[in-house]
Amino acid sequence: MVTIIVLAALVIGFFIFASLYTDYAWFAQLGFQQVLTTRWIAGTLMFLAGFLGMAVPVYVSIALAFRFRPVYAKLNSQLDRYQQVIEPLRRAVMIGIPVVLGLFAGLATAGRWSMVLEYFNRTPFGQKDPQFGLDIGFYVFELPFWRSIVAYSSAVVLIAGIAALAATYLYGALRFGGREVRISKAARIQLAVTAAVYVALQAVSLWLDQYAALTKDNPLITGAQYTDVNAVIPGREIMAGIAAIVAILFIVTAVIGRWRISIVGTGLLLVAAIVIGGIYPWIVQRIQVKPSERTYESAFIERNIKATRDAYGVSGVQEQNYDATTEASSGALAQDAQTTANIRLIDPKIVSDTFSQLQQYRQYYQFPDQLDVDRYDIDGQTEDTVIAVRDIDLDGLSSQANTQYNRTFVYTHGFGVTAAYGNQRASDGKPVFLESGIPSNGQLGNYQERVYFGETSPPYSIVGGPEGSKNIELDYPAGSDDSDGGNATTTYQGNGGPSLGGFFNRLVYAAKFQSEQILLSDAVNRDSQILYDRDPIQRVQKVAPYLKLDSDAYPAIVDHRIQWIVDGYTTSDAYPYSQSQSLSDTVAGTDSSAFRTDQVNYIRNSVKATVDAYTGKVTLYAWDTEDPVLKTWQKIFPTSTQPVSQMSAELLDHVRYPTDLFKVQRSILGTYHVTNANSFYSGDDAWNTPQETTTGTTDSEANSDTVSQTTTNALGTRTTASQGNLQDPYYLTMKVPGQDTAYSLYTTYIPQQSAGANNRNVLTGYLAVDSDAGGAGKGEKASNYGKLTLLTMPKTDNIPGPAQVQSLFNGDTTVSQELNILKRGNSTVKQGNLLTLPVGGGFLYVQPVYVQSTSSGSYPLLQKVLVAFGDKIAFEDTLDQALNELFDGDSGAAAGDQGAANGSGSTGSSDSGSSGSGSSGSGSADSGSGSSDSSGDSGSSSGGSSSGGSGGSSSDTGNQALDRALADARSALQDRQKAYADNDLVAAAEADKRLQDAIEAATEAENGN
C-alpha cells in the first residue's frame, strides 16, 4: 500500500513538474521568463503569507487555550467524554486544523499577487478626488490593498477566537451553570484581547469604508451623493471612533475582569450602527433630499460627469453642431469626393463564404466567419481593404487523412492572406482582390506567407528538422491531388517553440499533451520544436496578464511579414466618481445581467501588441505612456514592454483605434455628452446606440436574435426592453465635417427610450474617432490619432436614423419588387452593413445587397446597392449609379465601383479566381453558384425606379446614333416602371433587356463619336 501511495505521489509530482517546466520553457523561448518567475515568486510568497497568517494565529490561539487550561477543573460528564475522545488526537487536531485552514487561506491569497505588486509599485495619477483631496492612485492601488488586509485579518482573528472559545469550553476554562458563567483569568484575557483586536479591525474597516463610498454604485450615479457625504461618511467616522473605544473597553475587561462595560459598549456600537448607519441616512434621503433631489444632487452629478469623462478618456471630445440637410441636390457630394470614392461596399460579415469559395482552395484551409478591415498604400493611394488570413483547419481533413501523425507533423500551418478592395466589385458581383492565390500574388509585395500562429492553429504541432532532411510539412497545394508528390512541402526554419531535441523534453511534453507520439515517433528529431498556445490573443494574454485584450486580433502585412495586431487595455473599477459598467456587456452590445464581475470605470488603450504569424514572437509596445496603471506594471515587469519609438513606420500605418475601447466610450458618451447637471438629471438628452438593423438577410429571421436590455434613467427607475444587438461601429476612410480626411471609426446615436415608449429612431448624434496612427514616420504617432469628434443634431431636426432608413428600404414598393426578382430561382438576399456618412451637408446611408443561391457551394455576390439621403432612396446595380440617381442625376463624385455594372470592372486584380499554383478557378462548384440566373439578370439591370445612371437627360447630343439609343433607353425605362407598377414581371424583364441593349448601343455610339 505504501509503495502504491509513493508511486502515485511520484506520478502526480512528475505531472506537476512537467507543467511548470513546460511553462518556463514556453516563456523563456519568447523572452518573457521574468513575467513567469515574477508571478511564481509573488504567488508563492502570497501563499506562504496567507498560510502562515492563518495557521500561526489559529495554532497559537488553540495552544494558549490548552496551555493555560484549568488543571483541576470539574467537568460535567459530557465534556469529560469529549476530552477522552479528543485527547489521543489532540496533537493532530492542534496542528491539523491550522494547517488545513492555512492551506485554504494560502490558496485564496495566492491569487491576489497582482494587487499586492500594484500596491508596492504604485504610481500617482496626479489628480485628486473632489471629496477628500486624495490622489486617485490611493483609490486604485492603496484602498483595495488595505481593505483586503483588514478583511483577511478580521477573518483570521474571528476564526482564531472561535477556536479559542471552543478550546476553553472543552477544557473547562469556560463553564455555564444555570444563569452563571464562569471563566478563568487566562481564558478571559485571551478572549477579551481577541475581541479587542477584532473590534479594532472593524474600526479600521469602517474608517476605510468612507473612502469606498466614492466608488459605490448608486441608482443615480457612481460615487458619493448628498446623503453619503452628509450622513453616511460622517456616520462611518463616528462608528469607527465608537468601535475604537469598544476595543479599548475589551482591553479593560482583560485587565480588571469586568465584562459588563465591554458588553454594554458592544451593544451601543450595534445601536449606533442601526441609528447612525441606517436610520439617519434614510431620513436625510427621504425627508430632505428626495423632495428636491435635483437641487441637492447637482454638485455630485457634476463630480460624476467630470470623473467619468476623464476616466474613460473622452473629456477631450470635440463637440460641434451639425445642422444636417435632408434635401438631396445635384452635385451635393462634390466636396466629399474622397469620402465617396472610399465608401466600403464589401461587408466583412457576409463575404467570408465568398472568400472561402474563391480563395480557400483546399478543405484543410479556412477563413474566419468575420473578416477584418484594414488599409494599404496601393500605387500611392490609400485603399480600404477587407483582409483575411488563410488559416489551417484540421477539422476539414478527410477521414483518411485525419490521422494523429498528419495532425501533428504534416498539416502544421496556414498559408498567406487574401485581400479585396473594400470599395470595388467585379461586374458579376465578386470582390476585386488585390492579393490572392497560393502562393500569393498581388499588390502587397513579397512577405513570409506561412501562418504557424493563427486564430485557428492546431493545439500543438511538431515542426523543424536538420538541414538536408526530408520535408514532411505540407506547405501549399501545388498539384491536382493531395499526395505528397503533388503538393509543396517545407520544414519550419523559425524559432517559434521550445525544443524537443532531448529525451527529457520529449518526455515532459508527452506528459503535458498526453501523447505517446511525442515520445515515440521517428518524426521527432534533434532539431524539432513544439508549437502550442498559438492563438495571438492567447499568447499576448499569457505574457501580459495585467491587460484586458480587445476581442479582435487583426492581421497586417508589416515589413514583409504577417503580423497580428492586438490591443491591450489597463482597467480599474476603483476610479472615484466614475460611472461603472460591465466591460463584456458593453463590448457585446447587450445588458444581460446586473451582477457582472467585470465592472470597470477606468480604461486606457495602454499597449499595442504584435504577434509574428511565422515565429510567434510577441512584442508589447507601451502605447499610452501617461497611464499610471501601465507605469506601475512597467515597474513590476521592467523588460516586458518596448517604447513606441521602436515601432516601424509600416507598423504604425496599420495600427488603428480599437473597436472595443470605442464601444465603451460610445456607451459612456451616450449619456455623458451632457455636461450640465440639471439636463443630465432629467435625462432629456440621453442617447442610445441603434440596434443592428439587419443580420444579413431579408427573411423573417433577420432580427430574431434579441436580448433583454436593462437601462436606468436619471431617477433610478430600471426598465427592461427586448432588443437586438447594438449596431457595430465601422471603419471608413472619410472626411468628418470640420476635420481632414482620415481612416476613421464611427457610430451613430438615437434618443434613449424605455420599453413600450413611442420609440423615435431619429439621428441625434454621430461619433467618429481618427484611427490613423501612421504617416509621421518610425516611432511617431500621428498627431490627430485618437481625436474624438461628436456631431450633434439640433433637437428640432428629424434626421432619419438607421432603423428608419432600413424601414424605408424594406417598405419601398419598387425595392421590394426588385428584391423579389432577386429571390427568384431559390436564391436568398442578404442586406449588408448599413453605413452612415456625414456628406453632402447631411447623412448618406449606403447598404450593399448580396444574392446567394441556396445550392451547395454557393456564396454571396454583390448585386445591388441601396442608398438614402433624407427620405429619398435609390436602388441600383452599383453605388455610383445609385448616388447619381439619388442626387438628381449627378452626385458630383465618383464611387469606387464606377463602371462595374457594364462589365468594365474596377481596377486591381479583378479575376476573383486568380492565380497561384494551387487549384484554379473560383473555388466553387460553378460560376453560377453565387446566384440564380434570375438574380444574375436583375444584377445587370439598372434597377429601382431610377434612370440607370443616365440621369434621364433629354438633351440633343448632336450624335444621331447616341440620341436614338438614349430615346430607346428612356422608352424602355418607362415601360419597365409601368410593368413594375402593374406587377407584370415578364414585361419588366423584357423592358430590362431592351434597356440593357439601349445602354450598350449608347456606349458604342459615344465611343464612336
Side-chain angles (χ1 to χ4, degrees):
M1 184 65 181
V2 174
T3 303
I4 294 175
I5 293 176
V6 170
L7 288 175
L10 288 175
V11 171
I12 294 172
F14 175 74
F15 275 96
I16 294 174
F17 170 79
S19 177
L20 297 176
Y21 178 86
T22 54
D23 278 350
Y24 184 84
W26 189 90
F27 277 87
Q29 189 275 328
L30 280 174
F32 284 90
Q33 61 266 38
Q34 186 208 18
V35 173
L36 184 64
T37 55
T38 300
R39 290 187 61 180
W40 279 355
I41 293 170
T44 301
L45 292 176
M46 287 295 295
F47 174 84
L48 291 175
F51 175 82
L52 296 175
M54 176 64 77
V56 171
V58 172
Y59 174 79
V60 169
S61 184
I62 296 174
L64 286 175
F66 176 78
R67 172 69 178 81
F68 295 104
R69 71 193 184 283
V71 179
Y72 301 107
K74 184 177 180 180
L75 304 177
N76 59 42
S77 58
Q78 188 175 14
L79 284 177
D80 192 50
R81 285 196 299 272
Y82 286 158
Q83 280 196 11
Q84 291 176 8
V85 172
I86 293 175
E87 189 60 29
L89 304 172
R90 177 174 54 80
R91 289 187 176 275
V93 170
M94 288 182 64
I95 296 175
I97 289 178
V99 167
V100 171
L101 292 172
L103 288 173
F104 281 109
L107 292 173
T109 56
R112 307 301 299 273
W113 63 271
S114 58
M115 178 193 68
V116 175
L117 289 181
E118 281 186 302
Y119 171 77
F120 285 108
N121 295 275
R122 59 192 181 274
T123 302
F125 274 63
Q127 295 175 283
K128 298 184 182 299
D129 79 88
Q131 179 62 33
F132 299 102
L134 299 174
D135 187 88
I136 302 299
F138 168 80
Y139 298 90
V140 174
F141 302 123
E142 298 182 49
L143 185 59
F145 174 81
W146 288 116
R147 295 189 79 194
S148 297
I149 291 291
V150 171
Y152 173 80
S153 301
S154 297
V156 170
V157 173
L158 181 61
I159 292 172
I162 292 173
L165 188 65
T168 55
Y169 177 73
L170 182 63
Y171 287 101
L174 176 64
R175 287 173 290 172
F176 299 93
R179 298 178 61 182
E180 185 179 12
V181 178
R182 294 187 178 183
I183 185 170
S184 68
K185 180 180 179 180
R188 183 194 74 221
I189 293 173
Q190 181 179 357
L191 294 177
V193 170
T194 301
V197 173
Y198 182 79
V199 175
L201 287 170
Q202 304 319 300
V204 177
S205 179
L206 287 167
W207 185 264
L208 295 176
D209 283 348
Q210 65 177 321
Y211 303 111
L214 270 60
T215 57
K216 173 188 172 185
D217 284 330
N218 292 306
L220 180 58
I221 60 171
T222 295
Q225 298 175 213
Y226 182 88
T227 300
D228 296 310
V229 170
N230 293 278
V232 175
I233 290 176
R236 297 279 167 81
E237 294 175 346
I238 294 171
M239 288 191 293
I242 296 174
I245 294 173
V246 173
I248 295 173
L249 294 179
F250 273 106
I251 297 296
V252 173
T253 295
V255 174
I256 68 175
R258 289 185 170 274
W259 286 95
R260 179 170 298 176
I261 56 175
S262 56
I263 292 174
V264 170
T266 303
L268 290 175
L269 177 60
L270 295 175
V271 172
I274 295 172
V275 175
I276 300 176
I279 296 176
Y280 177 64
W282 182 85
I283 292 173
V284 171
Q285 180 67 24
R286 296 293 297 181
I287 305 302
Q288 184 177 359
V289 176
K290 271 295 182 183
S292 305
E293 188 173 43
R294 190 173 75 172
T295 301
Y296 281 100
E297 302 293 8
S298 177
F300 304 99
I301 292 174
E302 289 178 358
R303 292 181 178 183
N304 174 255
I305 292 172
K306 183 181 185 306
T308 300
R309 289 168 65 95
D310 288 341
Y312 286 95
V314 297
S315 58
V317 61
Q318 181 176 327
E319 247 183 283
Q320 60 185 77
N321 294 325
Y322 186 61
D323 192 3
T325 181
T326 57
E327 298 296 325
S329 57
S330 178
L333 301 185
Q335 300 300 317
D336 299 289
Q338 191 171 356
T339 299
T340 305
N342 283 285
I343 295 175
R344 179 170 49 78
L345 296 172
I346 304 301
D347 187 343
K349 286 185 176 181
I350 290 182
V351 298
S352 177
D353 287 344
T354 307
F355 271 51
S356 296
Q357 290 295 330
L358 300 179
Q359 291 293 319
Q360 182 173 310
Y361 292 103
R362 287 294 188 268
Q363 74 280 5
Y364 46 78
Y365 290 131
Q366 65 177 325
F367 291 106
D369 292 336
Q370 180 171 335
L371 310 186
D372 289 295
V373 178
D374 201 353
R375 69 279 191 204
Y376 286 87
D377 191 294
I378 307 297
D379 297 329
Q381 183 174 347
T382 300
E383 299 281 358
D384 288 7
T385 62
V386 175
I387 188 170
V389 166
R390 187 184 294 105
D391 216 338
I392 195 72
D393 178 19
L394 296 185
D395 292 336
L397 293 174
S398 65
S399 57
Q400 181 180 1
N402 192 12
T403 65
Q404 186 63 34
Y405 182 90
N406 280 341
R407 296 174 70 93
T408 304
F409 301 101
V410 178
Y411 295 94
T412 59
H413 60 280
F415 201 91
V417 302
T418 296
Y421 291 95
N423 62 341
Q424 298 181 21
R425 48 156 285 193
S427 58
D428 57 358
K430 295 175 184 175
V432 178
F433 292 103
L434 59 92
E435 188 75 16
S436 59
I438 294 183
S440 297
N441 66 86
Q443 302 293 320
L444 301 186
N446 296 323
Y447 62 94
Q448 173 56 260
E449 299 181 58
R450 297 169 183 87
V451 181
Y452 283 88
F453 296 86
E455 294 177 308
T456 60
S457 296
Y460 71 94
S461 295
I462 297 176
V463 299
E467 186 176 352
S469 61
K470 180 182 178 182
N471 296 335
I472 62 173
E473 299 176 50
L474 187 141
D475 204 17
Y476 57 86
S480 59
D481 58 62
D482 286 336
S483 65
D484 288 344
N487 293 311
T489 56
T490 188
T491 296
Y492 184 66
Q493 300 297 319
N495 180 25
S499 171
L500 286 180
F503 175 79
F504 179 75
N505 279 14
R506 295 170 67 172
L507 180 63
V508 294
Y509 277 102
K512 177 180 179 65
F513 292 105
Q514 300 179 28
S515 172
E516 72 283 354
Q517 284 208 17
I518 298 176
L519 189 62
L520 304 176
S521 176
D522 61 2
V524 182
N525 55 71
R526 68 177 185 272
D527 291 328
S528 290
Q529 302 173 44
I530 184 166
L531 312 181
Y532 60 98
D533 291 341
R534 300 160 73 177
D535 180 82
I537 291 179
Q538 181 185 18
R539 291 177 78 79
V540 174
Q541 189 67 82
K542 288 186 69 172
V543 302
Y546 53 91
L547 295 177
K548 286 184 170 60
L549 300 181
D550 196 272
S551 56
D552 181 32
Y554 58 98
I557 307 301
V558 177
D559 302 321
H560 308 292
R561 308 186 75 85
I562 301 174
Q563 296 280 359
W564 294 97
I565 302 176
V566 183
D567 286 285
Y569 310 115
T570 48
T571 63
S572 175
D573 62 353
Y575 197 101
Y577 274 107
S578 176
Q579 195 67 25
S580 176
Q581 60 181 345
S582 166
L583 184 60
S584 60
D585 279 347
T586 304
V587 169
T590 65
D591 188 6
S592 56
S593 174
F595 303 100
R596 289 289 191 187
T597 59
D598 63 342
Q599 298 289 319
V600 300
N601 66 1
Y602 172 87
I603 186 169
R604 289 292 186 272
N605 179 207
S606 54
V607 170
K608 300 285 187 182
T610 62
V611 178
D612 191 295
Y614 185 72
T615 66
K617 179 183 178 182
V618 178
T619 308
L620 306 177
Y621 296 100
W623 187 253
D624 188 344
T625 56
E626 300 301 317
D627 175 31
V629 180
L630 178 61
K631 289 181 179 179
T632 295
W633 283 104
Q634 285 178 312
K635 295 176 186 176
I636 299 169
F637 303 129
T639 62
S640 64
T641 59
Q642 296 186 20
V644 173
S645 60
Q646 296 300 310
M647 299 180 76
S648 70
E650 192 169 352
L651 174 58
L652 284 166
D653 286 341
H654 294 282
V655 166
R656 69 189 190 191
Y657 201 81
T659 306
D660 288 357
L661 174 62
F662 189 69
K663 287 181 178 180
V664 171
Q665 291 176 326
R666 77 172 179 181
S667 175
I668 287 298
L669 281 173
T671 304
Y672 287 88
H673 70 278
V674 177
T675 56
N676 178 274
N678 291 336
S679 179
F680 182 95
Y681 177 85
S682 64
D684 61 344
D685 196 23
W687 302 339
N688 270 340
T689 304
Q691 299 175 40
E692 188 64 61
T693 58
T694 176
T695 58
T697 177
T698 58
D699 297 335
S700 59
E701 70 272 14
N703 292 305
S704 61
D705 184 18
T706 59
V707 296
S708 177
Q709 184 171 36
T710 303
T711 57
T712 303
N713 64 14
L715 300 178
T717 304
R718 296 179 67 83
T719 55
T720 301
S722 180
Q723 57 178 250
N725 290 335
L726 302 183
Q727 190 177 55
D728 284 335
Y730 297 119
Y731 291 100
L732 290 174
T733 296
M734 64 179 180
K735 178 179 174 62
V736 178
Q739 308 295 326
D740 295 330
T741 300
Y743 186 66
S744 302
L745 182 63
Y746 83 86
T747 191
T748 57
Y749 289 109
I750 60 173
Q752 187 180 104
Q753 44 222 327
S754 59
N758 184 18
N759 292 347
R760 296 178 66 247
N761 287 292
V762 297
L763 209 61
T764 56
Y766 187 93
L767 178 66
V769 60
D770 190 321
S771 300
D772 202 344
K778 178 183 177 181
E780 294 290 335
K781 289 190 284 186
S783 59
N784 285 331
Y785 171 84
K787 184 176 182 179
L788 290 159
T789 302
L790 179 62
L791 305 180
T792 59
M793 313 302 122
K795 294 182 180 180
T796 56
D797 282 4
N798 285 300
I799 309 299
Q804 286 186 351
V805 171
Q806 192 68 61
S807 296
L808 282 174
F809 288 159
N810 296 340
D812 184 85
T813 304
T814 303
V815 172
S816 298
Q817 291 172 344
E818 289 275 357
L819 293 178
N820 287 332
I821 294 175
L822 293 174
K823 291 179 183 178
R824 250 180 356 189
N826 296 322
S827 293
T828 59
V829 172
K830 296 184 176 183
Q831 291 174 246
N833 42 210
L834 182 60
L835 304 179
T836 310
L837 298 100
V839 295
F843 285 98
L844 172 68
Y845 288 90
V846 177
Q847 184 175 59
V849 177
Y850 291 81
V851 177
Q852 181 173 1
S853 169
T854 56
S855 62
S856 176
S858 65
Y859 50 89
L861 293 173
L862 177 57
Q863 295 291 345
K864 292 284 187 177
V865 181
L866 282 161
V867 295
F869 195 94
D871 293 329
K872 186 177 180 181
I873 69 172
F875 189 35
E876 297 293 343
D877 292 342
T878 68
L879 174 60
D880 195 64
Q881 291 175 343
L883 292 178
N884 284 330
E885 169 62 19
L886 187 68
F887 291 97
D888 297 334
D890 180 16
S891 67
D897 65 345
Q898 185 181 34
N902 60 22
S904 63
S906 301
T907 61
S909 179
S910 61
D911 180 8
S912 51
S914 68
S915 75
S917 50
S919 57
S920 60
S922 69
S924 60
D926 56 63
S927 61
S929 64
S931 61
S932 66
D933 290 342
S934 62
S935 65
D937 290 341
S938 63
S940 64
S941 70
S942 59
S945 58
S946 67
S947 61
S950 67
S953 173
S954 60
S955 60
D956 186 358
T957 65
N959 184 325
Q960 293 182 356
L962 179 58
D963 291 341
R964 283 196 302 270
L966 292 176
D968 291 342
R970 285 193 293 273
S971 175
L973 180 60
Q974 293 171 357
D975 292 344
R976 188 186 68 164
Q977 292 173 337
K978 184 177 184 302
Y980 280 136
D982 297 337
N983 201 23
D984 186 348
L985 300 183
V986 175
E990 293 175 352
D992 275 338
K993 180 65 171 61
R994 288 167 47 213
L995 179 61
Q996 185 66 25
D997 292 342
I999 292 174
E1000 291 176 358
T1003 302
E1004 292 175 1
E1006 186 174 19
N1007 292 336
N1009 193 30

